[in-house]
Amino acid sequence: MSTHISKLKTGTPRIWTTRRDEKKRRMEKVRSMLNGVILPTDHIVDALEVLLVSGDRVALEGNNQKQASFLSQALSNVNPQVVNNLHMIMSSVSRPEHLDIFEKNIASKLDFSYAGPQSLRIAQMVEDQTLSIGSIHTYLELYGRMFVDLTPNIALVAADKADRQGNLYTGANTEETPTIIEAAAFRDGIVIVQVNEIVDELPRVDVPASWIDVIVEADQPYQLEALFTRDPRHIKETHILMGMMAIRGIYERHQVQSLNHGIGFNTAAIELLLPTYGESLGLRGKICKNWVLNPHPTLIPAIESGWVESVHCFGGEVGMEKYTAARPDVFFTGHDGTIRSNRAMGQVAGQYAADMFIGASLQIDPDGNSSTVTSGRLSGFGGAPNMGSDARGRRHDTEAWLNMITDKEPIVRGHKLVVQMVETFQSGDQPTFVDSLDAIQVGHDAGLPLAPVMIYGDDVTHVVTEEGIAYLYKAQNIEERRTALAAIAGVTPLGQRHDTDLNEKLRQDGLIAFPEDLDIRRTDAKRSLLAAKSIEELVDWSDGLYEPPSKFRSW
Amino acid sequence: MSTHISKLKTGTPRIWTTRRDEKKRRMEKVRSMLNGVILPTDHIVDALEVLLVSGDRVALEGNNQKQASFLSQALSNVNPQVVNNLHMIMSSVSRPEHLDIFEKNIASKLDFSYAGPQSLRIAQMVEDQTLSIGSIHTYLELYGRMFVDLTPNIALVAADKADRQGNLYTGANTEETPTIIEAAAFRDGIVIVQVNEIVDELPRVDVPASWIDVIVEADQPYQLEALFTRDPRHIKETHILMGMMAIRGIYERHQVQSLNHGIGFNTAAIELLLPTYGESLGLRGKICKNWVLNPHPTLIPAIESGWVESVHCFGGEVGMEKYTAARPDVFFTGHDGTIRSNRAMGQVAGQYAADMFIGASLQIDPDGNSSTVTSGRLSGFGGAPNMGSDARGRRHDTEAWLNMITDKEPIVRGHKLVVQMVETFQSGDQPTFVDSLDAIQVGHDAGLPLAPVMIYGDDVTHVVTEEGIAYLYKAQNIEERRTALAAIAGVTPLGQRHDTDLNEKLRQDGLIAFPEDLDIRRTDAKRSLLAAKSIEELVDWSDGLYEPPSKFRSW
């Protein structure tokens, strides 16, 4: 070795296997409890108390549907004298014990993406300093960081079945399980999997045993919510009117081929209008062919009528297992015939390979910034900002993407269609259009460095309300953007301040369109236009393959 | 069923298993050639002629390092009377036969990401209409589309080893293999894998047999290039000067913790300056801790000196296998001890979880747009635009990201650091700073709808040349951006038109910095500052674990 280098390489030689050694040390402690990789159900708390070390980074699988509920319950029962100060990494904070562990001092820090049902409690706990937040992420960011600076020491995840070697079948709800496991398994983290059942032979292998350390059969199946089921009974004529406008004024106009729909009655209405209103416009086979979304039951009629070429899913949906298995030309399925989802690749596809994202929001400010964070609720982001922003790294073109170009310069780029679809008032007569987002105050109270904005105004290309469509991508400056938005803000304070004399010019310039500009009569927006008006009719459409959870059955 | 629905559901019942049926039909035809999933080596062309159908979408693994060279060779030998009009999906077009298949009329359409060595020939073939381009993508876009509208009928990929069930070990070069396989396998595509070796037991399983249809032992190991090896012998004092400026004026100033480095002598210089110049600034443990990059040999001294906490790799690097296996605290490795890479998750991490992207370019225009596409070469994008753009879906914060905020508004967001590091002249005295990118003409000639810009000016936050740094993120408007850029453009025509009287103001406003503003003396930029000055010294640093390919050995 040259003296030059030996001068730089001073001190005692470093040990480069501390993570591997530590994993081995911990695994030795549970060896006597294990039969191969299998841990008896009733040993889980004991095992966690030796496999976890205070201060560990722990990735606990809380997807927005599937919950590693047995493991989260067990975690909340470890002795805080033994295990404490955990740094939790969770895409979704959904169950009470997800926060109980902070109250019990088992965990102290949280990096997360979404906290729907627990959003109020999180905000309160941050204020009380029971919990400190690392950051709030979109799903894809959180997964990315698991390979960079938030690599888990311990992964607690859920699968349907395991075989005795530890191979996993995740079935319909693969979701983010392989991603979390990969990040932990390949950096000497310990991977602990709860399964509903241990079997001799798996229908297929979703995650290989090479990546798994401990399998435990849960005392009951993992929690699974039907989050993406919308009962058509609750679709109102306003949703139908907005859906017609969106189909005519956006989907058809820009020739949207590939798309993502969020949860909500607005987009459920669109799904149910394609086989009727869409058909009458002759659009079948021309738009909405390739989808990135969960298996929405309200998409069944469009699938059955031949609108849909493909659907790639982030996760599954309770009740849709048989239907998706019977439609492999449309859904991604394994050789065993059941659906395969993948939240990480679904988010990549939704970000980069979709013409359009369309979603709803609770508040929109005059610049078009929007958020679902409202007073006292720290609800997080989920996947929306990832898909509901312009993917500036995109270089391939599609007609819809090119359609957003308004510049004439030699160097330009297209833009993703980012559509916000909202009624001007929320239930309870709260205006959707507000002068300032509650998110600013909530962010301030939670000590966040920036306000938790869901979709930034400069990413939004269209806003649809029951009044009309604002084509924000055409605005040449912020003033034009504001005016166009105000023109469709109805009788909210923002809308009332708008000078309606400007509307004629805005319509001529294509900055806004009212229903009549799109050849839509408000009186045509009837529930009779929906391809299915109830869950029961969705079941009919599916030839009985869709099996809705009992809470959606009313017949 | 209600009459309402039965009216909508007219016509003959559709068959929903056409893809699965078609796969079964094709697989039946090779059944007699197969022993389980294993196809004899000399049957590959016969097998391809029955497994492929004209017009198929075929994903052929050409990573930027690993090539499914046995399968691409076989594909170029199928009878074009039998198989033609294939639509090829390839992340990297690297080998002659990748284009031969178009000349032989076996394939007609190409979607790709990168075409380094074949870029001239592609451009010519497009002009001759031998080949039509679908689109040019970044890697992540192409993977996303494989789950949306470019799902492969056939996947031709490469792995190190398979067992007799068809489980795969991809070893150091996992790269994009699992991603391509997943897209095909779960939509009834046929997955054909060439392996270097069929063994009884694998070191670990990287892809489960459930996803694989055909395994064939290749007649020779897959092609693997050492693309990320830079010989320190070729690092010039200009690179060192620029590296010192980058470390002082960007890395330290913005506290860059997580980052990606591209290929190139500029960034190799930075890697080799961290243990010397970086150490003298007291920056170890403060910056550059978490990396997303391939196992660059030039990173060895920084790793050995304790700078690097983690490296997640897109792929492997020839010769770095033993070194990475011996450093599991830093690199992602499996329970078998060898490195695991993953190009898709690496790109996600590089896009969303890294503070900074830094790369080079061949041309930069006055607005800061840049491209590596130069006269007659359609080289594609690779992963650079994905990581070298502002990830607008990002919602988590880091110090560096927040540091890019110049607005005082209540609703703002951070920005990824996107750094271009270029000498003002390329070799052959071609100016890097040009009035107009060659990409505009090349795009026009190839019939592309947009010029193939690598990094857009409005995404770039910093440009470093041997003259100084332009802090473009601070520019309040396009004029300021142009002026700052011109100030560091040296004696290129763009630089010569710049009014140097403006420099004092630009320096005061922090829009530019010269070496002296960063306490750097040009005369200090000596090769003696490099922690290693040759490949041999890198081997020394690694305690002999790094085994460079023979072409890099000169001792």
Side-chain angles (χ1 to χ4, degrees), chain A residues 18 141 187 329 386 396, chain B residues 18 141 187 329 352 386 396:
Chain A
T18 60
E141 289 170 72
R187 201 131 185 267
D329 277 356
N386 172 60
H396 77 274
Chain B
T18 60
E141 290 170 72
R187 201 131 185 266
D329 277 356
Y352 265 134
N386 171 60
H396 76 276

Side-chain angles (χ1 to χ4, degrees), chain A residues 229-521:
Chain A
T229 299
R230 287 292 169 272
D231 189 339
R233 224 177 284 271
H234 302 128
I235 295 176
K236 299 179 302 182
E237 291 180 351
T238 314
H239 300 133
I240 295 165
L241 174 66
M242 289 163 65
M244 293 168 76
M245 286 195 277
I247 290 172
R248 196 78 215 274
I250 300 175
Y251 291 52
E252 179 185 21
R253 179 173 295 187
H254 305 301
Q255 293 291 298
V256 172
Q257 309 285 335
S258 50
L259 67 163
N260 164 260
H261 271 187
I263 315 177
F265 288 104
N266 291 325
T267 45
I270 292 174
E271 291 157 20
L272 293 169
L273 287 168
L274 291 176
T276 55
Y277 179 65
E279 186 72 34
S280 74
L281 297 173
L283 296 174
R284 176 161 47 89
K286 296 189 181 148
I287 62 165
C288 297
K289 296 192 288 196
N290 304 105
W291 298 70
V292 182
L293 82 175
N294 282 314
H296 291 184
T298 41
L299 196 62
I300 293 172
I303 293 170
E304 295 297 311
S305 323
W307 280 74
V308 177
E309 281 180 9
S310 70
V311 178
H312 186 265
C313 299
F314 310 105
E317 181 67 3
V318 182
M320 287 288 281
E321 295 80 2
K322 281 193 191 162
Y323 179 75
T324 51
R327 300 289 180 267
D329 277 356
V330 171
F331 291 96
F332 282 68
T333 56
H335 76 89
D336 64 309
T338 65
I339 191 173
R340 160 96 175 180
S341 57
N342 183 329
R343 190 174 302 281
M345 289 315 297
Q347 289 283 333
V348 167
Q351 179 191 27
Y352 264 133
D355 285 335
M356 186 183 75
F357 165 84
I358 181 165
S361 197
L362 297 179
Q363 293 190 327
I364 299 184
D365 80 5
D367 292 351
N369 301 302
S370 62
S371 188
T372 53
V373 167
T374 51
S375 174
R377 292 190 178 273
L378 206 52
S379 53
F381 301 118
N386 172 60
M387 295 184 284
S389 62
D390 188 33
R392 293 167 76 89
R394 175 169 168 167
R395 294 293 181 270
H396 77 274
D397 59 90
T398 58
E399 188 173 342
W401 186 78
L402 292 172
N403 227 254
M404 295 296 98
I405 298 175
T406 52
D407 264 358
K408 298 256 181 288
E409 301 293 317
I411 289 186
V412 292
R413 47 180 160 184
H415 198 292
K416 180 172 212 167
L417 275 74
V418 176
V419 182
Q420 292 276 286
M421 197 170 173
V422 293
E423 289 178 76
T424 54
F425 284 86
Q426 302 288 317
S427 58
D429 285 341
Q430 289 293 313
T432 303
F433 293 92
V434 295
D435 285 323
S436 172
L437 300 179
D438 286 359
I440 296 174
Q441 188 62 43
V442 174
H444 185 265
D445 292 346
L448 302 179
L450 298 181
V453 173
M454 180 70 90
I455 310 281
Y456 284 84
D458 54 2
D459 277 323
V460 177
T461 56
H462 303 75
V463 177
V464 184
T465 70
E466 74 276 17
E467 299 293 327
I469 300 178
Y471 293 89
L472 299 185
Y473 74 94
K474 289 195 165 178
Q476 296 296 312
N477 52 52
I478 186 74
E479 273 314 315
E480 240 178 43
R481 168 178 287 265
R482 286 178 184 150
T483 310
L485 196 59
I488 58 154
V491 294
T492 61
L494 181 72
Q496 286 183 320
R497 290 198 301 269
H498 171 69
D499 175 2
T500 52
D501 289 348
L502 299 171
N503 286 356
E504 203 42 47
K505 176 91 167 70
L506 289 169
R507 288 163 81 181
Q508 279 167 18
D509 293 346
L511 277 158
I512 60 169
F514 294 141
E516 55 268 35
D517 301 321
L518 303 167
D519 285 326
I520 293 167
R521 284 185 300 185

Side-chain angles (χ1 to χ4, degrees), chain A residues 105-123:
Chain A
N105 289 318
I106 297 164
S108 56
K109 188 173 178 184
L110 173 66
D111 275 274
F112 74 111
S113 288
Y114 180 68
Q118 302 293 334
S119 57
L120 197 60
R121 193 167 158 216
I122 282 198

Side-chain angles (χ1 to χ4, degrees), chain A residues 1-2 4-5 8-9 14-20 135-138 140-141 143-145 147-149 151 179 182-183 185-188 204-206 208 210-211 258 275-276 290 292 303-304 306 309-310 312 326-330 332-335 337 340 342 345 348-349 351-353 365 369 381 385-386 389-390 392-397 401-402 405 410-414 437 440 449-450 453-456 458-459 528 530-531 533 537 540-541 543, chain B residues 1-2 4-5 8-9 14-20 135-138 140-141 143-149 151 179 182-183 185-188 204-206 208 210-211 258 275-276 290 292 303-304 306 309-310 312 326-330 332-335 337 340 342 345 348-349 351-353 365 369 381 385-386 389-390 392-397 401-402 405 410-414 437 440 449-450 453-456 458-459 528 530-531 533 537 540-541 543:
Chain A
M1 188 180 293
S2 72
H4 162 75
I5 292 174
L8 288 168
K9 289 184 73 169
R14 173 168 159 193
I15 295 164
W16 295 95
T17 54
T18 60
R19 298 174 75 98
R20 186 178 295 168
S135 277
I136 314 178
H137 309 71
T138 61
L140 214 48
E141 289 170 72
Y143 305 151
R145 289 191 69 187
F147 292 89
V148 179
D149 59 347
T151 312
T179 309
E182 178 164 351
F186 290 97
R187 201 131 185 267
D188 291 315
R204 71 171 188 244
V205 177
D206 286 298
S210 286
W211 306 13
S258 50
T276 55
N290 304 105
V292 182
I303 293 170
E304 295 297 311
E309 281 180 9
S310 70
H312 186 265
R327 300 289 180 267
D329 277 356
V330 171
F332 282 68
T333 56
H335 76 89
R340 160 96 175 180
N342 183 329
M345 289 315 297
V348 167
Q351 179 191 27
Y352 264 133
D365 80 5
N369 301 302
F381 301 118
N386 172 60
S389 62
D390 188 33
R392 293 167 76 89
R394 175 169 168 167
R395 294 293 181 270
H396 77 274
D397 59 90
W401 186 78
L402 292 172
I405 298 175
I411 289 186
V412 292
R413 47 180 160 184
L437 300 179
I440 296 174
L450 298 181
V453 173
M454 180 70 90
I455 310 281
Y456 284 84
D458 54 2
D459 277 323
S528 56
L530 295 175
K533 285 174 286 300
E537 289 189 0
D540 280 352
W541 269 105
D543 288 330
Chain B
M1 185 179 294
S2 71
H4 163 75
I5 293 175
L8 287 169
K9 288 184 75 170
R14 174 168 157 193
I15 295 163
W16 296 94
T17 53
T18 60
R19 297 173 76 98
R20 186 177 297 166
S135 278
I136 314 177
H137 311 70
T138 62
L140 214 47
E141 290 170 72
Y143 306 151
R145 290 192 67 187
M146 286 192 202
F147 292 88
V148 179
D149 60 346
T151 311
T179 309
E182 179 165 351
F186 290 97
R187 201 131 185 266
D188 291 314
R204 71 169 188 246
V205 177
D206 285 298
S210 287
W211 308 11
S258 50
T276 55
N290 304 105
V292 182
I303 293 171
E304 296 297 311
E309 281 181 9
S310 70
H312 186 264
R327 299 291 180 266
D329 277 356
V330 171
F332 281 70
T333 56
H335 75 90
R340 160 96 176 181
N342 183 329
M345 288 317 296
V348 167
Q351 180 192 25
Y352 265 134
D365 80 6
N369 301 302
F381 301 118
N386 171 60
S389 61
D390 188 32
R392 293 168 76 88
R394 175 169 168 167
R395 294 293 180 271
H396 76 276
D397 57 272
W401 186 78
L402 291 172
I405 298 176
I411 289 186
V412 293
R413 47 182 162 184
L437 300 179
I440 296 174
L450 299 181
V453 173
M454 181 69 92
I455 310 281
Y456 284 84
D458 54 2
D459 278 323
S528 56
L530 294 176
K533 285 175 285 302
E537 289 190 359
D540 280 352
W541 269 104
D543 287 331

Side-chain angles (χ1 to χ4, degrees), chain B residues 100-122:
Chain B
D100 294 347
I101 56 173
F102 292 92
E103 276 173 358
K104 292 181 180 178
N105 289 318
I106 297 164
S108 56
K109 188 173 178 184
L110 174 65
D111 275 274
F112 74 110
S113 288
Y114 181 68
Q118 302 293 336
S119 57
L120 197 61
R121 194 168 157 216
I122 281 199

